[in-house]
Short mmCIF file of all heavy atoms in Angstrom, two decimals:
data_model
loop_
_atom_site.label_atom_id
_atom_site.label_comp_id
_atom_site.label_asym_id
_atom_site.label_seq_id
_atom_site.Cartn_x
_atom_site.Cartn_y
_atom_site.Cartn_z
N SER A 1078 -176.53 -37.30 -45.81
CA SER A 1078 -177.83 -37.02 -45.18
C SER A 1078 -178.36 -35.65 -45.57
O SER A 1078 -179.57 -35.41 -45.50
CB SER A 1078 -177.70 -37.11 -43.66
OG SER A 1078 -176.74 -36.18 -43.18
N ILE A 1079 -177.50 -34.74 -45.98
CA ILE A 1079 -177.91 -33.40 -46.40
C ILE A 1079 -177.10 -33.00 -47.63
O ILE A 1079 -176.06 -33.58 -47.92
CB ILE A 1079 -177.73 -32.34 -45.28
CG1 ILE A 1079 -176.37 -32.50 -44.56
CG2 ILE A 1079 -178.86 -32.44 -44.27
CD1 ILE A 1079 -175.27 -31.74 -45.16
N LEU A 1080 -177.60 -31.99 -48.36
CA LEU A 1080 -176.92 -31.53 -49.57
C LEU A 1080 -176.67 -30.02 -49.53
O LEU A 1080 -176.87 -29.32 -50.52
CB LEU A 1080 -177.74 -31.89 -50.82
CG LEU A 1080 -177.90 -33.38 -51.11
CD1 LEU A 1080 -178.84 -33.61 -52.30
CD2 LEU A 1080 -176.54 -34.02 -51.39
N TYR A 1081 -176.21 -29.53 -48.40
CA TYR A 1081 -175.83 -28.11 -48.31
C TYR A 1081 -174.42 -27.97 -48.88
O TYR A 1081 -173.44 -27.93 -48.16
CB TYR A 1081 -175.86 -27.64 -46.86
CG TYR A 1081 -177.23 -27.68 -46.23
CD1 TYR A 1081 -177.45 -28.39 -45.05
CD2 TYR A 1081 -178.29 -26.99 -46.80
CE1 TYR A 1081 -178.72 -28.42 -44.47
CE2 TYR A 1081 -179.55 -27.03 -46.23
CZ TYR A 1081 -179.76 -27.73 -45.06
OH TYR A 1081 -180.99 -27.77 -44.49
N PHE A 1082 -174.34 -27.89 -50.20
CA PHE A 1082 -173.04 -27.98 -50.88
C PHE A 1082 -172.36 -26.63 -51.03
O PHE A 1082 -171.76 -26.32 -52.06
CB PHE A 1082 -173.19 -28.65 -52.25
CG PHE A 1082 -174.35 -28.16 -53.07
CD1 PHE A 1082 -174.29 -26.97 -53.76
CD2 PHE A 1082 -175.52 -28.91 -53.11
CE1 PHE A 1082 -175.36 -26.53 -54.51
CE2 PHE A 1082 -176.59 -28.47 -53.87
CZ PHE A 1082 -176.53 -27.28 -54.57
N GLY A 1083 -172.40 -25.82 -49.96
CA GLY A 1083 -171.76 -24.51 -49.99
C GLY A 1083 -172.74 -23.44 -50.40
O GLY A 1083 -172.69 -22.92 -51.51
N THR A 1084 -173.69 -23.13 -49.51
CA THR A 1084 -174.73 -22.16 -49.81
C THR A 1084 -174.67 -21.01 -48.80
O THR A 1084 -174.25 -21.21 -47.66
CB THR A 1084 -176.13 -22.81 -49.76
OG1 THR A 1084 -176.26 -23.50 -48.50
CG2 THR A 1084 -176.29 -23.82 -50.88
N PRO A 1085 -175.10 -19.80 -49.18
CA PRO A 1085 -175.04 -18.68 -48.25
C PRO A 1085 -176.05 -18.85 -47.12
O PRO A 1085 -177.13 -19.39 -47.31
CB PRO A 1085 -175.39 -17.46 -49.11
CG PRO A 1085 -175.50 -17.93 -50.49
CD PRO A 1085 -175.56 -19.40 -50.50
N VAL A 1086 -175.69 -18.35 -45.95
CA VAL A 1086 -176.59 -18.33 -44.81
C VAL A 1086 -177.40 -17.03 -44.86
O VAL A 1086 -176.87 -15.97 -45.20
CB VAL A 1086 -175.80 -18.39 -43.49
CG1 VAL A 1086 -176.71 -18.20 -42.28
CG2 VAL A 1086 -175.04 -19.71 -43.39
N ALA A 1087 -178.69 -17.12 -44.53
CA ALA A 1087 -179.52 -15.94 -44.36
C ALA A 1087 -180.24 -16.03 -43.03
O ALA A 1087 -180.58 -17.12 -42.57
CB ALA A 1087 -180.54 -15.82 -45.50
N LEU A 1088 -180.45 -14.88 -42.41
CA LEU A 1088 -181.26 -14.79 -41.21
C LEU A 1088 -182.57 -14.12 -41.59
O LEU A 1088 -182.58 -12.98 -42.06
CB LEU A 1088 -180.56 -13.98 -40.12
CG LEU A 1088 -179.26 -14.56 -39.57
CD1 LEU A 1088 -178.64 -13.60 -38.56
CD2 LEU A 1088 -179.51 -15.91 -38.93
N LEU A 1089 -183.68 -14.85 -41.44
CA LEU A 1089 -184.98 -14.32 -41.82
C LEU A 1089 -185.70 -13.75 -40.61
O LEU A 1089 -185.82 -14.42 -39.57
CB LEU A 1089 -185.86 -15.42 -42.42
CG LEU A 1089 -185.30 -16.19 -43.63
CD1 LEU A 1089 -186.36 -17.14 -44.16
CD2 LEU A 1089 -184.83 -15.23 -44.72
N THR A 1090 -186.15 -12.52 -40.72
CA THR A 1090 -187.01 -11.95 -39.69
C THR A 1090 -188.43 -11.90 -40.22
O THR A 1090 -188.68 -11.43 -41.33
CB THR A 1090 -186.54 -10.54 -39.26
OG1 THR A 1090 -186.24 -9.76 -40.42
CG2 THR A 1090 -185.31 -10.62 -38.40
N THR A 1091 -189.35 -12.43 -39.41
CA THR A 1091 -190.77 -12.44 -39.74
C THR A 1091 -191.54 -11.97 -38.51
O THR A 1091 -190.98 -11.82 -37.42
CB THR A 1091 -191.24 -13.85 -40.14
OG1 THR A 1091 -190.97 -14.77 -39.07
CG2 THR A 1091 -190.53 -14.33 -41.41
N GLU A 1092 -192.83 -11.74 -38.69
CA GLU A 1092 -193.65 -11.24 -37.59
C GLU A 1092 -194.48 -12.35 -36.97
O GLU A 1092 -195.18 -13.09 -37.68
CB GLU A 1092 -194.57 -10.12 -38.08
CG GLU A 1092 -195.36 -9.44 -36.97
CD GLU A 1092 -196.21 -8.29 -37.49
OE1 GLU A 1092 -195.68 -7.47 -38.26
OE2 GLU A 1092 -197.40 -8.24 -37.13
N ASN A 1093 -194.40 -12.49 -35.65
CA ASN A 1093 -195.20 -13.46 -34.91
C ASN A 1093 -196.64 -12.97 -34.77
O ASN A 1093 -196.93 -11.78 -34.95
CB ASN A 1093 -194.60 -13.67 -33.52
CG ASN A 1093 -193.24 -14.34 -33.57
OD1 ASN A 1093 -193.01 -15.25 -34.35
ND2 ASN A 1093 -192.32 -13.88 -32.72
N PRO A 1094 -197.57 -13.87 -34.42
CA PRO A 1094 -198.97 -13.45 -34.25
C PRO A 1094 -199.16 -12.33 -33.24
O PRO A 1094 -200.09 -11.52 -33.38
CB PRO A 1094 -199.66 -14.74 -33.78
CG PRO A 1094 -198.83 -15.84 -34.36
CD PRO A 1094 -197.42 -15.33 -34.30
N ASP A 1095 -198.29 -12.24 -32.22
CA ASP A 1095 -198.44 -11.20 -31.20
C ASP A 1095 -197.71 -9.91 -31.56
O ASP A 1095 -197.63 -8.99 -30.75
CB ASP A 1095 -197.97 -11.71 -29.84
CG ASP A 1095 -196.48 -12.07 -29.80
OD1 ASP A 1095 -195.80 -11.90 -30.84
OD2 ASP A 1095 -196.01 -12.51 -28.75
N GLY A 1096 -197.16 -9.83 -32.77
CA GLY A 1096 -196.48 -8.62 -33.22
C GLY A 1096 -195.00 -8.58 -32.92
O GLY A 1096 -194.31 -7.66 -33.37
N THR A 1097 -194.47 -9.55 -32.18
CA THR A 1097 -193.03 -9.61 -31.93
C THR A 1097 -192.33 -10.20 -33.16
O THR A 1097 -192.97 -10.69 -34.09
CB THR A 1097 -192.72 -10.47 -30.69
OG1 THR A 1097 -193.22 -11.80 -30.90
CG2 THR A 1097 -193.36 -9.86 -29.44
N ALA A 1098 -191.01 -10.18 -33.13
CA ALA A 1098 -190.23 -10.65 -34.28
C ALA A 1098 -189.69 -12.04 -34.05
O ALA A 1098 -189.23 -12.37 -32.95
CB ALA A 1098 -189.09 -9.68 -34.57
N ASN A 1099 -189.73 -12.85 -35.09
CA ASN A 1099 -189.04 -14.15 -35.09
C ASN A 1099 -187.79 -14.02 -35.95
O ASN A 1099 -187.78 -13.30 -36.95
CB ASN A 1099 -189.94 -15.25 -35.64
CG ASN A 1099 -189.31 -16.62 -35.51
OD1 ASN A 1099 -189.00 -17.06 -34.41
ND2 ASN A 1099 -189.09 -17.30 -36.63
N LEU A 1100 -186.74 -14.71 -35.55
CA LEU A 1100 -185.46 -14.66 -36.26
C LEU A 1100 -184.99 -16.09 -36.48
O LEU A 1100 -184.87 -16.86 -35.52
CB LEU A 1100 -184.45 -13.89 -35.41
CG LEU A 1100 -183.02 -13.74 -35.94
CD1 LEU A 1100 -183.00 -13.00 -37.26
CD2 LEU A 1100 -182.16 -13.02 -34.90
N ALA A 1101 -184.75 -16.47 -37.73
CA ALA A 1101 -184.41 -17.86 -38.03
C ALA A 1101 -183.35 -17.94 -39.11
O ALA A 1101 -183.42 -17.24 -40.13
CB ALA A 1101 -185.66 -18.62 -38.48
N PRO A 1102 -182.34 -18.82 -38.93
CA PRO A 1102 -181.33 -19.02 -39.97
C PRO A 1102 -181.80 -20.03 -41.01
O PRO A 1102 -182.47 -21.01 -40.68
CB PRO A 1102 -180.14 -19.57 -39.17
CG PRO A 1102 -180.77 -20.30 -38.02
CD PRO A 1102 -182.05 -19.59 -37.71
#
Side-chain angles (χ1 to χ4, degrees):
S1078 59
I1079 44 89
L1080 294 175
Y1081 297 124
F1082 45 78
T1084 53
V1086 174
L1088 296 177
L1089 304 186
T1090 45
T1091 58
E1092 186 177 313
N1093 293 320
D1095 63 1
T1097 60
N1099 186 60
L1100 178 61

